[in-house]
């Protein structure tokens, strides 16, 4: 099994990824590697502090990377060091999973013209922040989660659904019973993207 990279940054919404990382590490047996621009202390929205394992620019091999997890956080047009990694991993067919406002990184990496997505962000919120809009709204789908090939996106409030979709994609669950025991839900039949 490969490594799971998780991007951590100032004011990230850590609650959106906690369940997912717990399940990936525990039931999934995956190694979680936190990455950031620097390895100094990062304060999340919860007030918890994180110390990243590696700098983005020091990642020397992507061969054993199974997924990149992107938690939500504030819109920030200056936060672009992660974007080339997002683009490279997606181009290799590696899972890129982004929740809440994190699809902004996919947008700035140029992926949202090729993938359907969802986000908790809105054009109004972006205007309020005075930021450049990174989203390609023609591909926006107003759903809790959207799975389009190797990209999974979710609304921020849908963090359990997000965890379930990522775990399904990475074949963490042995069966529906284990999925129910670990997340309390099973996939509903419905239209896919």
């Amino acid at each position: 099994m490969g490594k799971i990279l998780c991007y951590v940054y100032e004011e990230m919404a850590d609650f959106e990824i906690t369940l997912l990382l717990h399940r990936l590490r525990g039931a999934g047996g995956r190694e979680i590697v936190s990455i950031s621009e620097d390895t100094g202390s990062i304060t999340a929205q919860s007030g918890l502090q994180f110390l990243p394992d590696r700098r983005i620019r020091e990642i020397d091999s992507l061969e054993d990377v199974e997924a990149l997890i992107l938690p939500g956080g504030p819109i920030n047009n200056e936060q672009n060091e992660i974007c080339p990694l997002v683009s490279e991993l997606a181009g290799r067919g590696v899972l890129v999973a982004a929740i809440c406002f994190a699809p902004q990184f996919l947008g700035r990496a140029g992926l949202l013209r090729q993938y359907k997505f969802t986000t908790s962000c809105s054009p109004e919120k972006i205007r309020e922040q005075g930021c450049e809009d990174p989203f390609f709204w023609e591909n926006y789908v107003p759903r809790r989660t959207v799975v389009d090939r190797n990209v999974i996106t979710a609304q921020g409030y849908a963090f359990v659904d997000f965890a379930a979709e990522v775990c399904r994609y990475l074949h963490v669950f042995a069966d529906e019973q284990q999925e129910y025991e670990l997340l309390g839900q099973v996939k509903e039949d419905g239209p896919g993207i």
Side-chain angles (χ1 to χ4, degrees), residues 52-123:
D53 297 311
R54 305 200 63 198
R55 289 183 176 99
I56 295 166
R57 63 186 165 276
E58 294 174 350
I59 297 171
D60 52 1
S61 174
L62 300 175
E63 296 308 313
D64 60 347
V65 174
E66 197 173 357
L68 172 63
I69 308 300
L70 302 164
I75 289 288
N76 181 346
N77 290 136
E78 305 303 314
Q79 194 172 12
N80 294 315
E81 191 173 333
I82 191 67
C83 296
L85 182 61
V86 168
S87 181
E88 184 170 353
L89 288 172
R92 289 175 177 231
V94 172
L95 174 63
V96 177
I99 186 168
C100 196
F101 283 22
Q104 68 179 302
F105 305 119
L106 282 70
R108 287 199 295 279
L111 296 178
L112 296 183
R113 292 185 176 277
Q114 302 148 14
Y115 289 90
K116 301 285 185 192
F117 73 97
T118 194
T119 181
S120 295
C121 200
S122 67

